[in-house]
Amino acid sequence: MRPTLRQLLTPVKSAGERPGVVQLFPDCPASGPDSNPPNWPAAIELIRDVGARIRQARRFTQDVVQHSQAMIDATRHRLEETERRLRLAESTARDAHLRAERAELAAKMADARARRAEQETELSRAKLAEAQMWLKRLYSNVQMEFRDITEDRG
C-alpha cells in the first residue's frame, strides 16, 4: 500500500518539541559550551532521508496528477462520446418524426382516395342501374313495336 502525502511529509517529533517545529538534529541537544560537537554523518543521513521523502512525495504527487489527468481525459472522452450519441439520437428522432408525419399524410391521402373510389363506385353503380333500367325500357319498347308490327301484318 502506498503511503499518503501526509504520511510522507509528517515529521518525527520528540516529546519536548513544539508543534510545527521539525528538529533537524534529533540526536543533538541544544548547542552550547558544554555540548558535544554535531554528528555530521547523522545530519547528512537525515538530510538524505528528508530528500528521499521529498522525492517519494514528488513521485507520489506526479502519479496522482497523472492518474487524475487520465481520469479527466477518460471522462472528457466519455462526455464527447455521450454528446455524439445524443446528437445522433436527436437526429434519428427528428428523422423518425418526419417519417411519421409523412406516413400520416400518406394515410390521410390514401383514406381520401379510398373515399373518392367509394363515391365513384357508388356513382358507377347508380349509372349502371340507370343504364340497365334504360335498356329494359328500350327492350320493352322494342318488343312492343315488334308486336305491333307483327300484328299489323298478320
Side-chain angles (χ1 to χ4, degrees), residues 70-143:
M71 288 178 59
I72 289 169
D73 292 343
T75 302
R76 184 177 297 129
H77 178 70
R78 285 193 307 266
L79 176 64
E80 289 169 355
E81 183 64 23
T82 301
E83 287 174 345
R84 186 190 65 76
R85 286 193 313 257
L86 175 63
R87 286 190 299 273
L88 181 64
E90 287 173 343
S91 174
T92 303
R94 279 192 301 273
D95 291 346
H97 182 71
L98 289 174
R99 283 193 305 272
E101 286 178 348
R102 287 185 200 131
E104 185 178 344
L105 181 62
K108 287 179 182 178
M109 291 171 62
D111 187 48
R113 283 193 304 270
R115 273 190 252 120
R116 275 193 304 247
E118 286 176 6
Q119 290 171 351
E120 289 175 4
T121 302
E122 288 299 317
L123 183 62
S124 295
R125 284 182 184 157
K127 287 182 180 180
L128 178 64
E130 184 181 345
Q132 285 175 343
M133 192 183 314
W134 182 82
L135 283 174
K136 284 181 184 178
R137 272 190 260 146
L138 179 65
Y139 180 72
S140 172
N141 285 338
V142 168
Q143 277 183 340

Side-chain angles (χ1 to χ4, degrees), residues 1-11 53 56-57 60:
M1 178 176 191
R2 276 194 161 167
T4 64
L5 184 61
R6 183 179 301 259
Q7 290 170 338
L8 290 173
L9 296 177
T10 302
R53 283 185 184 190
Q56 189 178 8
F60 177 76

Side-chain angles (χ1 to χ4, degrees), residues 11-106:
V12 179
K13 296 180 184 176
S14 301
E17 286 186 9
R18 292 182 296 174
V21 176
V22 177
Q23 184 179 1
L24 291 179
F25 304 104
D27 295 338
C28 298
S31 61
D34 297 337
S35 67
N36 294 333
N39 184 354
W40 292 110
I44 291 172
E45 186 62 33
L46 179 63
I47 290 170
R48 284 184 182 150
D49 184 47
V50 169
R53 283 185 184 190
I54 290 173
R55 283 190 296 280
Q56 189 178 8
R58 183 172 168 232
R59 282 191 301 272
F60 177 76
T61 55
Q62 286 174 342
D63 289 347
V64 168
V65 167
Q66 288 173 350
H67 180 68
S68 298
Q69 188 62 44
M71 288 178 59
I72 289 169
D73 292 343
T75 302
R76 184 177 297 129
H77 178 70
R78 285 193 307 266
L79 176 64
E80 289 169 355
E81 183 64 23
T82 301
E83 287 174 345
R84 186 190 65 76
R85 286 193 313 257
L86 175 63
R87 286 190 299 273
L88 181 64
E90 287 173 343
S91 174
T92 303
R94 279 192 301 273
D95 291 346
H97 182 71
L98 289 174
R99 283 193 305 272
E101 286 178 348
R102 287 185 200 131
E104 185 178 344
L105 181 62

